[in-house]
Amino acid sequence: CCSSCPPVAYILPKVQQDILTLSLDKTDFCNNDTNVYKVTVNPLGGTLTASAGGLDATKMEYSPKDQAAGINTITYTLPDGRSIKVDIKVTAAFNPEFEFQASPDNPFVIKFLPVNTEGKTVSWNFGDGTALSSEQSPTHQFTIITDPQTFVITLTATDGPCVIPVKHEIVLGKPREQIFTIEPRIFCSNDEKQYVFTADPAIANASDIENPDNLIMDKNAAGNVFFMPVKQSLQVTRSYKLTYKGVTINLSVVAAFQVDFKAEPLATDPLSRRFTANNIENRQVVWDFGDGSDKSTVASPVHTYQISEGPQTFVVSLIVTDGPCSAGTEQTITVTRPIPAAFSIQPNVFCRNDEGRKVFNIKPSSAKISDITNPNKLIIEQDEANGQIFFVPANQDIGQTTSYMLTFSGINAGVTIMVPNAGFTMKIDHNTSPVAVFPFILTLNAKAGDADNYRWSVTAETGLTLNFATRQAVLNLNQLNIRPGSTLNILLSVNNSRLTGVDCQDQKEYVLTEAIFGNHVNRGEFDNVTSA
C-alpha cells in the first residue's frame, strides 16, 4: 500500500440479525430451589411470556421456587410474529423422614426405615465413618467407644433435581437396669413435703404405678409424680409396695407422736429434778435443761441446778426422735434454793404448871405438825392463823419431870417439862453416949437434887422455928428443945425458876409425932410421903 495509491473499498459480511434465540442456564428444576436464573434472548425487542408462574419478563429472570410441578413453557415473540419456545421441567420437592429400631438381640444393631422415599434414590450416612448405603431400609451395626455415644444419621433422598437431606441423632449405650426409686424410703406421717419419684422413662401419670396398698399420690405443676406423707392420715406405722416397669420398691410411713414430761424435785436435794417423759420407749431423747449445761441423752435424767439464790426459772426442752419422726416440747420450771432448816425452842426446860404457849422456832415456816417426829407423844398444836407450832406445859399429862426429843428435817430439839418435887427423907439417930442429954439427931434430905433453892422450916411445939436453905440438914433436936412426947412440924419448899424462867415450886409438910419419933429411932431413913 502506498500513499499515492487510490483508496480501496472493503465489503464486510452481513451480520445475521434475523437468527432468533431463547435460552436459560438450565431447564430442569426442583421447586424448593431458591436461586434466580437469567433468561437470554436474541434479538431484543420481542415479548417474553410463560405458561406458568416464575417468570419476571421485565428483569428477564425465572424463579422455580414454589412453582407447580410439571412442564412450564417460556415463549419469546418478535414484533414480526416470529417466536421461539423453551420447555422447563419443575419437580415437586418432598419431605423424607425415617425411623429406626434396635434389634432385640443386640442394642447396637439398628434397622432404619425411610418414610416418603418410595421411587426415589436414597443414600445413608451413619455418622460413624463407615461407607454410605443406598439401600432403602438398611441395617447397620454400630461400635461405641464411649458409653453412651451419639451418632448423627443423615438420609439423603433424590428425585430428579430434588436432593433433600434429613438428619437425626441417636444415642447408643450399654443396656441399663430400669430406674424407679424415691429417696428417702422411710417417712414421718406428719411430713408435708412433696417427694418425687425418679424413673426412666419418666412417669407420666400416678396411675402408671402399680399401687396395691392405695398410697395417695399426685402430680405437681412441673409434671412430676409425687406423694406427700401427711396426706396418708396414718395413726400407725404402715408399709407400701409400689411397682413401675417391673421394678418394685417398698416405702414405710411412721406414725407421728407427741411427748410430754414431768420435772419432780428430789426429796434429798431441792435443787435437783428428776425428769420423766411419756412416749420415749425405744426412741432417742435429747434433754436441754435450760441452764447452759451439757445436753443429756438419758431417758430419765436427774439434773442438779447450780443457783446462788432463788427462785430462778429455766426453760427445759425435750426432743424425741424415732426414725424420720421427731417431737418436741418444753416447760418452764422454777428452782428455789431452800432456806436452811431450823428447829429449836428457848428455853427448853419448863414448869409443869406453866400455862403459857411455848412456840417452836421452825424454818421453813410452812412446816406442819406432821413434819415433826414426836416419839414421846408430846401434845403439840398449830395456830391456824399464823402456822406457829407450840405446846403448853400445863396440858401435858405427866406426873414427874419428863424429857422429850423432837426431830424436824434431821434437827433435834430437846424439851424438858419439870414437875417440882418437895419430897424429902428423914433419919432419926439416938446418941447412946452416957453423957449425952437428949442426944437425938434428925437428918433431913430433899429428894429433888436439881432445885434452884431449898427452904426448910422446922417448928417445935413450943413455937420455936429453925430455917435453913440447903438440900440436906442435920439437926440436933436439943436445939429445938424437943422433949419426948412433943410434936415437930417440918415444911420443905423447892423452886426451879432459874431453869424454867417462871415460879416453879412445890412444898411438902410433915408432922413428926412422938409415936413416929419412937418408931424410927435408929431404924434408917423414912420419907414424908410414905410415912405422913
Side-chain angles (χ1 to χ4, degrees), residues 188-443:
C188 188
S189 65
N190 63 0
D191 189 346
E192 297 182 354
K193 295 180 182 178
Q194 292 183 1
Y195 292 90
V196 175
F197 293 96
T198 299
D200 186 10
I203 304 172
N205 298 291
S207 59
D208 295 341
I209 300 174
E210 296 178 28
N211 182 14
D213 296 314
N214 296 317
L215 179 70
I216 300 173
M217 295 180 292
D218 206 346
K219 193 172 183 180
N220 60 23
N224 299 316
V225 176
F226 70 92
F227 92 103
M228 188 180 296
V230 73
K231 286 190 175 183
Q232 314 310 315
S233 301
L234 285 181
Q235 301 300 318
V236 295
T237 298
R238 184 175 177 185
S239 295
Y240 297 89
K241 181 177 289 186
L242 302 173
T243 303
Y244 176 71
K245 299 292 185 181
V247 179
T248 299
I249 60 175
N250 293 302
L251 307 183
S252 293
V253 181
V254 179
F257 57 91
Q258 294 181 333
V259 294
D260 195 7
F261 68 86
K262 295 180 180 179
E264 298 177 318
L266 297 187
T268 56
D269 184 0
L271 297 183
S272 297
R273 296 291 185 274
R274 181 181 298 279
F275 295 92
T276 56
N278 65 338
N279 287 341
I280 65 171
E281 186 176 0
N282 298 322
R283 290 170 173 155
Q284 296 179 341
V285 300
V286 177
W287 294 90
D288 187 334
F289 303 111
D291 59 353
S293 61
D294 293 339
K295 297 179 180 180
S296 173
T297 57
V298 177
S300 299
V302 173
H303 184 70
T304 301
Y305 288 90
Q306 305 298 327
I307 60 174
S308 57
E309 58 185 18
Q312 291 187 27
T313 58
F314 302 92
V315 178
V316 181
S317 65
L318 168 64
I319 298 177
V320 182
T321 303
D322 183 4
C325 290
S326 178
T329 184
E330 66 179 29
Q331 289 184 32
T332 299
I333 67 171
T334 301
V335 179
T336 302
R337 176 173 287 279
I339 300 172
F343 184 48
S344 64
I345 191 167
Q346 293 296 333
N348 62 351
V349 180
F350 305 93
C351 187
R352 167 66 180 83
N353 61 6
D354 189 348
E355 296 183 353
R357 176 185 286 188
K358 310 303 175 184
V359 177
F360 288 95
N361 173 32
I362 302 179
K363 292 181 180 179
S365 58
S366 59
K368 297 178 175 56
I369 291 177
S370 58
D371 298 332
I372 299 174
T373 303
N374 181 16
N376 300 118
K377 310 298 183 184
L378 177 68
I379 301 172
I380 57 179
E381 302 175 60
Q382 188 162 22
D383 192 312
E384 294 182 359
N386 55 29
Q388 290 180 335
I389 296 177
F390 64 93
F391 76 99
V392 178
N395 291 347
Q396 311 306 314
D397 187 15
I398 60 174
Q400 60 183 11
T401 298
T402 303
S403 293
Y404 300 89
M405 183 61 71
L406 305 174
T407 304
F408 171 76
S409 294
I411 302 173
N412 297 325
V415 173
T416 299
I417 299 179
M418 182 168 289
V419 178
N421 182 9
F424 56 90
T425 62
M426 297 176 290
K427 182 179 181 182
I428 302 174
D429 293 313
H430 176 216
N431 190 344
T432 58
S433 172
V435 296
V437 180
F438 300 107
F440 294 100
I441 304 299
L442 177 62
T443 302

Side-chain angles (χ1 to χ4, degrees), residues 49-53 71-75:
T49 62
S51 61
I71 302 298
N72 186 5
T73 301
I74 298 178
T75 303

Side-chain angles (χ1 to χ4, degrees), residues 108 110 112 123-134 138-145 149 151-154:
F108 303 130
I110 307 297
F112 295 93
S123 175
W124 297 90
N125 185 335
F126 301 111
D128 58 356
T130 60
L132 302 181
S133 173
S134 60
T139 297
H140 185 74
Q141 180 167 348
F142 290 86
T143 300
I144 65 170
I145 299 174
Q149 186 169 345
F151 299 91
V152 178
I153 311 300
T154 303

